[in-house]
Amino acid sequence: MKHLWYIGSFLLLFFPALAQEESGVNLIIHAQKFKKGLYKSFAEFQNNSPSADGDLVIKTRSNAAQIYLLANRNELVLRDAYGQEHKVKNYWGYCDGQNIYVRDNGLNKIQELGFYCIYEQHGVQPSRSYINQADMTINSMNTPYRLKKLINILTGEILELSAYNLKKYILPQDPELLKEFRADRQRKDQEAYYIYRFNQRNKPLITTSGG
């Protein structure tokens, strides 16, 4: 029996697919098909197991509403049996069966699924006020912005995609790629490229602990 335990531990250590099956965890990045529905938590997204479904629809707001009202560019609504729409609250994200969306100042589609998932947050930020010379009123200008962000598929930690975060938190896990990044003079224009490279070279593992 003791020899069988050692063999089992060896298999879990060197064959991560077996470790995932043993632990009951199947990361969404290994899924052949995404399950449609509402993710109420990061764990539900991570495991490709939305806990709620229904007639869910993403409603997009007009550009004017986003800019002048500082509103999110979209929201998720649930249509009931009578066709009435109800705003969905308190959830992490949503999957329509093909695309995955992260809730972060509206719903933002995941562009890269891997060890570090990439999505682009869209928003509007208020800028300085200005005086309208025609009627001497004070108005404000709201500026749209886009910001790429990363999700660690193991921890759920969200980081801004930046050279600093690449050098400080991500690429140190891959010293060879970090060295390449530091030597790249155009690295500030290729930050997403290095995430793609990192995802290709590094696969997250979930293992069980023996006792």
Side-chain angles (χ1 to χ4, degrees), residues 166-184:
L166 279 167
K167 290 187 292 185
K168 180 73 174 179
Y169 301 109
I170 300 171
L171 296 185
Q173 302 171 81
D174 188 332
E176 183 178 337
L177 194 58
L178 175 61
K179 183 179 179 180
E180 181 181 332
F181 179 75
R182 290 183 181 277
D184 188 349

Side-chain angles (χ1 to χ4, degrees), residues 103-118:
R103 185 189 182 196
D104 186 357
N105 196 30
L107 286 158
N108 309 283
K109 186 170 72 172
I110 290 182
Q111 302 170 344
E112 163 77 358
L113 197 63
F115 199 128
Y116 284 91
C117 306
I118 301 178

